[in-house]
Structures are given as structure tokens and as C-alpha cells.
């Protein structure tokens, strides 16, 4: 109904300048007083004539107006009734289809859950997606994710600490950082607290220093909700992200930010004297506040899926990257991409160890020039290029300076290791190197090693 349209026949007549029972008056004629049949003036009407309100004011406490008058006739369905009936049939059909589909999905899921217990674990993951983004609220993301986030309390002979983890499957596997569980050593204890208040003891299934990842397992815990895994290849700079963890022991803390950068080559942890136990990460950088205790927790995309494992922050006091120091957040946090974490987690669950892609050369870590230089000799006096290894087969030689990997610049030996470990064993790389003042490109297939 358009504004000002009539709501009844009487109102329409009044709007048109007519009144039932009275003749029409000529345009411009003065209005005449009502008279009786004898011609005498008629007494005033005790019922006041309603004044039409041009603003259509609505009184919420007044009774509803009578329904518009309708023609009587045969009870045949109108066009609108037929449309409503068709719509109801479509809704009912949709509900039946949804119930049937849900039942089939439940049967298939139960079958896979039952028959998958004896085989290798392959974690489900999102596929590659387009560039569109559906942003959801932080509160909704946190509500869905918190039941899958746990807090780890680790105690050992000499130290203790707190970290975060995510539930991977209904078998009780939990992914976290290696530096979170490291204080437990071989005789320590790991206690896991769930957002619902449950606690359970955990044992280490496998860990890897080079990737700074570990998997622990709990048993006897009901209602485990696996955290959905996203795809870090889909991440774009500027995407909104949410971090959940237990900074300084404050469990279930939620912070939000964006992806600040991708493919940040960082090294964290380890012994500064000999370079042992160093983690090499081709990291996602975020400004979501991350503090000690967030380590091992999820970095979530706008759909509430894990895209990274929070692992390190840049410290404001000494400018170093640390995974377990006590410095606070300055907006420079780093997370292990979930695609790398997924592969390592599956290997740790299925074999107890993680494989590392290798080039088969020894690098000169004291080289201060631009690029990664192959040493003249190995650390044990053997040739720097392993005989029969991937580097030797690609034609690499001692003294070569590798400057690019697949077209991306490499500025140091650490960066070359990071770029290499971002791939899988068996992947083919295109290396650009400088030899005797000349630039050249070689193709190399990565080998495999289980050593840190």
C-alpha cells in the first residue's frame, strides 16, 4: 500500500470529496449545513467525525484496526494461496532432504571414525580458496574455538612453564610447541586443562626441535572437539586473525589483529654458543597481541580455522626473537603456518619423528656477505657437498653462494634453511647461485632427513 492510499471505502469517498447520502457539490460552492427531511436544520451529530491524520500516527496501546473488507464467493485458492502452499511444500521437502543428508553424513562419519583407528592419522584440512573474505565477529570465533583450546602446565626437575595447545582429533592428540613441553624432559609431568574445567595428564607422542612442534596425548577425556584446520596458502596480508592462549598463565585469553606479513624467515630458541636446538620458521607475522604462554596456541582466520601456531615474539628489550622469554607484546608476533604444522603433526603422530627436507650441503654460517655460502669443508672434515646427495646431483660446489630460492632472495644461511624447511622432501627447487662472479640457476630435488 502506498503512503496516503485509502484503507476503506468510506475513507476513499471522503478523500475524493463525496459523502454517502449527499449530492455532490459544485466545485467552489460553499458547504451546506445538513438538514432533515422537512428542511429544518439537522441536530448536531453526537459522534465526532474522526480527523484524518496525515502523519498516520500509531498508538501501540489501541486495539488493531478491522481487517479490510473482502468479496465473498467460492472458496477457491487464490494465486497467493497457491504460492504459499508451494512454498510450504518446498520447505518440508528441504527439511526431509536435510535430515536424510544428515543421517547419511552421520553414518559415514561413524564408519570413518571406527575404521580409521588402526591406520595412519591424516588430518582433515580446508582446500585452496578464492580471494573473497567473509568476516565474522571475534566473539563468534572465540565461542566456537575455545572448547578446542587447552592450557598445558609443564613441570620438570629444573624449570616449569605454561603454554597452549589445540585438540587435533578425538583420540586425544594435542599440538603445541616443542619449547612448551621441553622443560618436562624425560621425567617431568604435563597437565592439560580444558576450557570446560576438565584436567588430564598427557604424554609426549613426538617432538621436533627444528620445527618447534610437539604432539602430546591425553586419554579418558570425553567430548573432545577437534580444532578445524585452515589453509595457510589462502592467507593474505591484512586478513583479520584471532589468537587464543594463556599469556602469563591467564588461560582462554582472546586477542585480535591482522596478518602483518607472510614468509618471514625467523630463527628462535637454541644455544647462542653452538647454534643447537634452533627453530627455523617461515612464519606468518601478526600484530595480534601474543605473550609468553600463548606459545602453541591457534592463530585463527575469520571462519574460526587455524592458519598458524603461535610460537615467537620479537622482544622489545634486546631485539631478539624468543618463544619463552618474559618480554611483553610489541605487536610483532610470529606463527608457524598450519600447512607445515599439519605435515609435521601427522608424522609425529604416525611415526614419532618428523622428516626434514635437505639440500645435502654444509653452509658457512660465519659468512657475512649477501646470500648463503657453501663451506669449503664439512664440520667433521668431510666434503661440504655430500657425495650423492641432492646438492651434488644438482651440481653444487664448495664456495657457491646461493642467492635465491624459487625467485625469492636469500640473504643468509639461516634464511636458506628456513626457505628449505618450508617445503616437503621430494619438492623441486630452483636455486640461483653465484660462482666465480657469474650467476647461474640449477634445479634441485630435496632429500629427506630425520635429524634436527
Amino acid at each position: 500500500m502506498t503512503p496516503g492510499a485509502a484503507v476503506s471505502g468510506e475513507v476513499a469517498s471522503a478523500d475524493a470529496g463525496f459523502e454517502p447520502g449527499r449530492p455532490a457539490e459544485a466545485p467552489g460552492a460553499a458547504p451546506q449545513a445538513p438538514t432533515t427531511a422537512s428542511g429544518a436544520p439537522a441536530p448536531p451529530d453526537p459522534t465526532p467525525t474522526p480527523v484524518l491524520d496525515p502523519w498516520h500516527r500509531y498508538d501501540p496501546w489501541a486495539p488493531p484496526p478491522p481487517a479490510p473488507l473482502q468479496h465473498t464467493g467460492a472458496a477457491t485458492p487464490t494465486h497467493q494461496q497457491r504460492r504459499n502452499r508451494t512454498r510450504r511444500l518446498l520447505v518440508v521437502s528441504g527439511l526431509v532432504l536435510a535430515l536424510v543428508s544428515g543421517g547419511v553424513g552421520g553414518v559415514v562419519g561413524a564408519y570413518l571414525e571406527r575404521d580409521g583407528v588402526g591406520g595412519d592419522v591424516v588430518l582433515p584440512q580446508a582446500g585452496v580458496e578464492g580471494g573473497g573474505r567473509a568476516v565474522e565477529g571475534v566473539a563468534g570465533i572465540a565461542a566456537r574455538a575455545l572448547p578446542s583450546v587447552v592450557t598445558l602446565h609443564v613441570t620438570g626437575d629444573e624449570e616449569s612453564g605454561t603454554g597452549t595447545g589445540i585438540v587435533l582429533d578425538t583420540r586425544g592428540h594435542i599440538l603445541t610447541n616443542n619449547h612448551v613441553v621441553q622443560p618436562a624432559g624425560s621425567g617431568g609431568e604435563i597437565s592439560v586443562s580444558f576450557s570446560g574445567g576438565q584436567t588430564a595428564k598427557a604424554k609426549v607422542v613426538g617432538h621436533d626441535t627444528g620445527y618447534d612442534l610437539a604432539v602430546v596425548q591425553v586419554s579418558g577425556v570425553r567430548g573432545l572437539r577437534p580444532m578445524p584446520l585452515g589453509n595457510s596458502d589462502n592467507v593474505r596480508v591484512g586478513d583479520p586473525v584471532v589468537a587464543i592462549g594463556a599469556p602469563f598463565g591467564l588461560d582462554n585469553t582472546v586477542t585480535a589483529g591482522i596478518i602483518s606479513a607472510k614468509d618471514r624467515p625467523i630463527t628462535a630458541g637454541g644455544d647462542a654458543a653452538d647454534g643447537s636446538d634452533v627453530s627455523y620458521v617461515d612464519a606468518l607475522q601478526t600484530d595480534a597481541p601474543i605473550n609468553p604462554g600463548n606459545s602453541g596456541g591457534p592463530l585463527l582466520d575469520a571462519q574460526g580455522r587455524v592458519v598458524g601456531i603461535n610460537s615467537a615474539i620479537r622482544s622489545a628489550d634486546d631485539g631478539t626473537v624468543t618463544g619463552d622469554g618474559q618480554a611483553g607484546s610489541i605487536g610483532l608476533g610470529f606463527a608457524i603456518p598450519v600447512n607445515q604444522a599439519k605435515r609435521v603433526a601427522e608424522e609425529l603422530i604416525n611415526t614419532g619423528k618428523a622428516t626434514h627436507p635437505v639440500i645435502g650441503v654444509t653452509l658457512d654460517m660465519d659468512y657475512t656477505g649477501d646470500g648463503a655460502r657453501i663451506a669449503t669443508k664439512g664440520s667433521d672434515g668431510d666434503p661440504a657437498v655430500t657425495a650423492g646427495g641432492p646438492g651434488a646431483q644438482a651440481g653444487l660446489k664448495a664456495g657457491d653462494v646461493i642467492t635465491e630460492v624459487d625467485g625469492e632472495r636469500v640473504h643468509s644461511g639461516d634464511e636458506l634453511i628456513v626457505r628449505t624447511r618450508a617445503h616437503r622432501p621430494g619438492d623441486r627447487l630452483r636455486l640461483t647461485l653465484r660462482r666465480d662472479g657469474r650467476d647461474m640457476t640449477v634445479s634441485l630435488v630435496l632429500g629427506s632427513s630425520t635429524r634436527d
Side-chain angles (χ1 to χ4, degrees):
M1 180 179 297
T2 59
V7 296
S8 70
E10 293 184 358
V11 175
S13 299
D15 287 346
F18 295 95
E19 182 178 343
R22 292 180 57 190
E25 298 175 352
Q32 298 178 1
T35 59
T36 62
S38 62
D45 188 352
T47 304
T49 302
V51 179
L52 293 178
D53 186 352
W55 297 104
H56 301 283
R57 292 185 177 90
Y58 169 66
D59 182 2
W61 305 105
L69 300 178
Q70 297 179 351
H71 291 291
T72 59
T76 55
T78 64
H79 177 67
Q80 182 62 36
Q81 289 174 326
R82 288 194 295 269
R83 290 182 59 189
N84 291 341
R85 182 180 302 171
T86 303
R87 187 175 303 164
R88 286 195 297 270
L89 289 175
L90 290 175
V91 170
V92 172
S93 301
L95 289 174
V96 173
L97 178 59
L99 291 173
V100 172
S101 301
V104 173
V107 172
V108 173
Y111 174 81
L112 293 176
E113 180 68 24
R114 181 193 65 203
D115 290 2
V117 172
D120 288 347
V121 168
V122 178
L123 302 174
Q125 183 183 23
V128 177
E129 299 172 343
R133 292 290 179 269
V135 180
E136 297 185 8
V138 174
I141 295 172
R144 292 194 302 272
L146 280 171
S148 304
V149 181
V150 303
T151 302
L152 288 83
H153 304 276
V154 183
T155 57
D157 295 334
E158 299 181 356
E159 57 180 323
S160 61
T162 302
T164 309
I166 61 173
V167 177
L168 291 176
D169 57 27
T170 55
R171 303 188 202 179
H173 292 119
I174 294 169
L175 178 64
T176 186
N177 283 139
N178 177 69
H179 73 259
V180 170
V181 302
Q182 198 168 25
S186 57
E189 187 175 272
I190 302 174
S191 176
V192 177
S193 299
F194 295 82
S195 62
Q198 294 175 289
T199 60
K201 301 297 182 184
K203 64 177 182 179
V204 177
V205 174
H207 65 96
D208 188 275
T209 301
Y211 288 115
D212 193 21
L213 290 170
V215 173
V216 302
Q217 187 174 21
V218 297
S219 57
V221 179
R222 297 180 178 274
L224 292 175
R225 291 178 56 178
M227 177 74 77
L229 303 183
N231 192 315
S232 48
D233 288 342
N234 296 331
V235 173
R236 299 293 181 267
V237 174
D239 279 352
V241 287
V242 173
I244 302 180
F248 298 103
L250 302 172
D251 58 346
N252 299 330
T253 295
V254 178
T255 56
I258 63 169
I259 294 293
S260 304
K262 295 179 60 177
D263 304 321
R264 288 294 198 207
I266 67 168
T267 58
D271 188 334
D274 59 11
S276 62
D277 295 337
V278 176
S279 301
Y280 299 89
V281 181
D282 201 23
L284 298 174
Q285 180 183 328
T286 179
D287 69 348
I290 295 174
N291 292 285
N294 275 103
S295 293
L299 189 67
L300 305 164
D301 65 10
Q303 285 73 43
R305 302 170 301 191
V306 181
V307 293
I309 306 299
N310 300 319
S311 300
I313 61 174
R314 176 72 68 176
S315 174
D317 53 0
D318 58 6
T320 60
V321 175
T322 176
D324 54 4
Q326 293 301 305
S329 170
I330 59 173
L332 294 174
F334 302 94
I336 301 169
V338 72
N339 289 13
Q340 181 175 336
K342 173 182 178 293
R343 176 182 72 83
V344 174
E346 289 173 344
E347 291 183 343
L348 293 177
I349 293 172
N350 295 325
T351 68
K353 296 182 179 181
T355 57
H356 293 186
V358 296
I359 294 177
V361 299
T362 299
L363 298 177
D364 180 4
M365 303 304 288
D366 294 328
Y367 178 65
T368 57
D370 191 47
R373 185 170 69 182
I374 300 176
T376 56
K377 289 185 178 181
S379 57
D380 53 3
D382 293 335
V385 179
T386 305
Q393 295 179 8
L396 297 181
K397 297 182 179 181
D400 286 347
V401 178
I402 300 173
T403 58
E404 293 182 6
V405 175
D406 289 337
E408 294 186 7
R409 292 288 300 179
V410 170
H411 302 286
S412 66
D414 285 341
E415 281 196 28
L416 178 61
I417 297 174
V418 168
R419 301 298 186 201
T420 301
R421 290 196 178 177
H423 294 81
R424 296 172 177 265
D427 286 352
R428 182 177 293 276
L429 302 183
R430 187 180 75 258
L431 303 181
T432 301
L433 56 92
R434 187 169 58 252
R435 177 187 299 170
D436 299 330
R438 295 185 302 108
D439 290 336
M440 57 187 302
T441 301
V442 300
S443 180
L444 179 145
V445 177
L446 291 172
S448 177
S449 172
T450 56
R451 297 180 300 172
D452 285 350

